[in-house]
Structure formats: structure tokens, C-alpha cells
Amino acid sequence: MKLTVWTYEGPPHVGAMRVATAMRGLHYVLHAPQGDTYADLLFTMIERRDHRPPVTYTTFEGRDLGADTAGIFRDTCRAAYERFVPQAMIVGASCTAELIQDDPGGLAETMGLPIPVIPLELPSYQRKENFGTDETFFQIVKALAKPMPRSAEVSVNLLGPLALGFRHRDDIEEIKHLLAQMGIAVNVVAPFGATPEDIARLGAAHANILMYPEHAEAAARHLERVCDQPYTKTVPIGVGATHDFVNELAQICGVEPKIDTTRLRQPWWSKSVDSTYLTGKRVFLFGDATHVQAAARIARDEMGFEVVGLGCYNREFARPIRALAKEFGLEALISDDYLAVEQAIEEAAPEMILGTQMERHIGKRLGIPCAVISAPVHVQDFPARYSPQMGWEGANVIFDTWIHPLVMGLEEHLLTMFREDFEFHDDAGASHHGGKAVAPTAPTPEVQERAQDTGSDVMVWLACAEKELKKIPFFVRGKAKRNTEKFAAERGMSEISVDTLYEAKAHYAR
């Protein structure tokens, strides 16, 4: 197992914790040593939940390893049941506890608790967090959901939203709005807000909406086999995908599709002159497979961007992401190494990144704007306001989220270009203060003539070339600088002038 300061996914028991935290009436007993209890802080710190996850740890210590750690698990399990009285319980081991092979599932079965106890087999050293969410939810559904008569009205289950999910809370509301327009009722939403008793009622629905394949595809496939419930294959993120989703769901449920786009604000702007600033912008996509697939379609078909790189960190979806990349004429990056992602972004030199919180940090270092489209995310990506990604309102939110970094980047570029002007130089102060701007101090002849060392070991930029370089937009300036230095080095130059800069530009433009 790789240890790193940055990580896209935690171990699979964190995925199980995300499912347990999303539900009510379910308790998770985790066989884990002291130190593995850090994970539950993620929910209160990042998602800003007002309660701790329903998890009880055995928290055995080093001195316990020579004694009966299995007894510690049994005592903890019994105490958790007596304290919380859940409707059902899941039991498992953390990555460290897995090594001592106490078999929490087998131990729990011998205790005779009067509730369903669901064992989790989550191989911590082979699989990761998203596998943990999918497998945990599947095992819960497998244990509790059974075939039953359908509801009198046409109804569906919403499968996949859970704790620490990217805008899941708001996506649920947007999907409910789409269903209400078509007269389709919601039977159960799970895992988010569901109880074990709700899971037992999943079979009453006529179909399932698979909102997030990473977290619920195994459960959806199981319900299709056991309860004869079809499930949707389209994730309604973006205008085109929402159209397709409505039509697919209507066909599955045998109702008329209802498409009301009056809330959409993107189409009118896309027809305006201002939108031409975005046309052809080069973007790099990275995140979980579901959001990357949706973002690729939106970028190309709805925003007019050029996708210059894409990939995902969850290897379970490597095949569809590679197929998608081939469609775009690219080679997919399937990796959970943020350094490899950073290198790929640097080589592609995009004008914007669409990624996770990690890519936002990468973008800051490279000077490239980034919009977050996928978990893992920072606390700022759990806004208090309504901010879905799915449905018509989700399309509005995505539109805002994507264009703001580019528009702000244009503003920053213009301010940089005109920074030597009377009102815009560094000492002028804010222009809205009115009359407070002062003329910049003229540099001395020595400063004007001095060569500007930009940090390269072998290249010296002359002041005139350095000034001209700053006129290049900041998000491609780094690549222009590297290309110019490479051009000069190949010709044995030690100084870079304005002529060198433009000769290099002409050379690489061929």
C-alpha cells in the first residue's frame, strides 16, 4: 500500500464509513488499532456534518497483540449494540487490523445479536475507497433487499449518493424535481438518508436510477437480477446528458418524457458574442470516472472547448475512460499518483484544468486556473447554498463554475499587460478610489539595462525580453518560457532577447 501526503482515495474501510455515515439506523463496528480513528474527522471537518459517523472502533493497542484481540472485538461489538440499538450492523477490519486475521464477520455471527450483522470483506492492500463504497452498499442491499410487489404508482429508487460525495445532497433534489415533472414517485433514496428498513423496501420500485456508478453499480446489477428492476445507464450531468436521461427513464417507466428547459441560462449566452472568448479553450480533465465522462461531453459539445488530456484515478473504470480518450484522439491517464498527473498537465499546457482538489493545488503551482468537478474535494466545495451538478440547474452551476476561472484569468492577464500604465502599475492602488493613482517611478538606466535572471541555470533573459514575456497570458507563459529557453539552448545562446522570443514562437508554431 502506498503512503503519501496526497491521496485520491483512502483505504476501503473509509468507503464503508462513507456508506454508514450516509445512512440512519446502521452502525459500523471497525476492528482497528489506535491511530486508525482519524477517518471519522473527515465528515465533521470537510463535509461539516453536525454529528460524528456511526462507527465504533476496537482501538486495540500494541500490548494487546499478544493477548485476545478477538475478545476485544466481541466485547466492542456487544457494547455498541447495547448503546446504539441499531436496526442493522456492519462489521469489518481496517488495513492494519486485517493483518492479524481475527475475522470480524465470523466472530459477529457467533454472538447471536437480534439484528442483521453484515460482514465486509474489503481487501485493504488491493482495493481502495470507491471499491469500499460500492462493495459495502452491495452487501447491505444483498442482505436486506428482497423481491416484493411493486408500488401502486410508478416509482424508482435513487442509488449511489452518500457522505463526502461531491454535491450529492443537491443532486438528489434536482433528480426529484425531474421525476416530479414526469409523475414518477421516489420509493427510496440510498444510501443517503436511508435506514436498513428502507433498504428492505427497495424491491417495491419499478426501476432504479444509478446516480453514481462508483458507489452503487454492484447494487444496481444485483437488484436487476434479483428484483427484476432495470436501471438507468445515463448520468444526467450536463444539458445533453439530462435530455438523454429523461428520455431513457421515460422509456423504462413507460411514461411521457417531460423536458422543461426554462431554467437553463447557458444557451442564450452560448449564442452571444462574449462566448467566443471561451471557444477552443484547451482543457485537461481528471477526477472520478463518472464526472470526467460527463465533463468531457460538456466541454466538447456544450462549451466548445478542446480537450487536450483526460484521465481518472479509480482503476475499476479504466476501460470506459480509455475508450472515451480514444474517441477524443488521446491516451487516457489512469493513475492515483498526483505527480504523474502534474507532469501530464504540465506537458499538455492547457488553459484550464477540470479536476479535483488536488488538481486545484497543481494549477496554483503551474499558474493554470482550475475548476473542481469531482471528489476528493475541500471544505469550500461543500457550499451551504443549493449547488447541484445534475439536471437543468446543475448545468447552470457547471457553466458558472467553469467560466469563472477563465474570465478571472482574462482579467488578471489584462491587469498584467497594462501594469505599467498610469492607473494600473503596482503602486497606483485601486482605481475605484478615484484620483489617488500616482505615476510609476521611472527605473534607473542601470535597472533598464540589467539582464533579468529568471531562475534558469543557463539562460539569462534581457530586460526587454522579460517585459515582452509578461504580455503572454499567464496560463501559457510557462510553456512559452520553456520553449524559448529550449530553442536558445539548441542554438548555443546564453542570452534571450525579444528577437529570440519571437523566433522561438515562429519555430514552434510550424
Side-chain angles (χ1 to χ4, degrees), residues 107-180:
L107 293 171
E109 285 180 1
T110 66
M111 295 179 61
L113 295 177
I115 58 172
V117 178
I118 304 164
L120 302 177
E121 295 292 336
L122 304 175
S124 299
Y125 297 92
Q126 291 83 38
R127 310 303 288 268
K128 294 193 175 182
E129 184 177 329
N130 279 333
F131 170 82
T133 62
D134 191 46
E135 178 67 14
T136 299
F137 186 49
F138 164 65
Q139 292 297 340
I140 293 171
V141 169
K142 181 180 177 182
L144 303 178
K146 307 298 178 186
M148 61 177 57
R150 298 285 192 257
S151 59
E153 57 184 340
V154 177
S155 66
V156 295
N157 301 313
L158 310 188
L159 303 182
L162 39 63
L164 280 180
F166 185 59
R167 312 288 172 83
H168 288 194
R169 175 200 64 189
D170 298 340
D171 284 348
I172 292 170
E173 296 307 313
E174 188 63 25
I175 296 301
K176 286 181 177 179
H177 184 80
L178 293 176
L179 295 175

Side-chain angles (χ1 to χ4, degrees), residues 419-430:
R419 67 187 305 162
E420 304 303 331
D421 285 18
F422 176 67
E423 288 189 307
F424 290 100
H425 65 87
D426 290 341
D427 298 324

Side-chain angles (χ1 to χ4, degrees), residues 234-268:
T234 306
V235 178
I237 299 178
V239 177
T242 302
H243 274 278
D244 293 346
F245 168 80
V246 170
N247 288 322
E248 179 188 9
L249 182 62
Q251 184 175 7
I252 289 174
C253 294
V255 301
E256 286 295 319
K258 297 291 180 64
I259 296 177
D260 178 9
T261 59
T262 55
R263 288 189 293 155
L264 273 179
R265 293 172 178 82
Q266 178 191 344
W268 72 265

Side-chain angles (χ1 to χ4, degrees), residues 18-36:
R18 292 176 63 185
V19 174
T21 304
M23 294 182 64
R24 298 175 292 114
L26 179 75
H27 200 80
Y28 185 17
V29 177
L30 182 61
H31 200 25
Q34 283 186 331
D36 276 3

Side-chain angles (χ1 to χ4, degrees), residues 137 155-159 185-195 197-205 208:
F137 186 49
S155 66
V156 295
N157 301 313
L158 310 188
L159 303 182
V186 175
N187 181 49
V188 173
V189 178
F192 197 98
T195 65
E197 291 177 351
D198 292 329
I199 301 298
R201 295 190 296 106
L202 286 174
N208 292 309

Side-chain angles (χ1 to χ4, degrees), residues 65 89 100-101 108 115 144 189 197 227 229 236-237 241 246 266-267 272-273 320 362 395 408 422 449 475:
L65 295 178
M89 187 178 289
I100 62 177
Q101 300 180 333
I115 58 172
L144 303 178
V189 178
E197 291 177 351
C227 297
Q229 293 173 324
I237 299 178
V246 170
Q266 178 191 344
S272 70
V273 174
I362 291 171
M408 295 306 294
F422 176 67
E449 296 297 327
F475 39 77

Side-chain angles (χ1 to χ4, degrees), residues 18-53:
R18 292 176 63 185
V19 174
T21 304
M23 294 182 64
R24 298 175 292 114
L26 179 75
H27 200 80
Y28 185 17
V29 177
L30 182 61
H31 200 25
Q34 283 186 331
D36 276 3
T37 58
Y38 71 92
D40 62 0
L41 296 176
L42 295 172
F43 301 90
T44 54
M45 180 177 65
I46 296 179
E47 197 171 13
R48 297 180 293 191
R49 282 182 170 262
D50 58 359
H51 60 279
R52 298 287 285 269

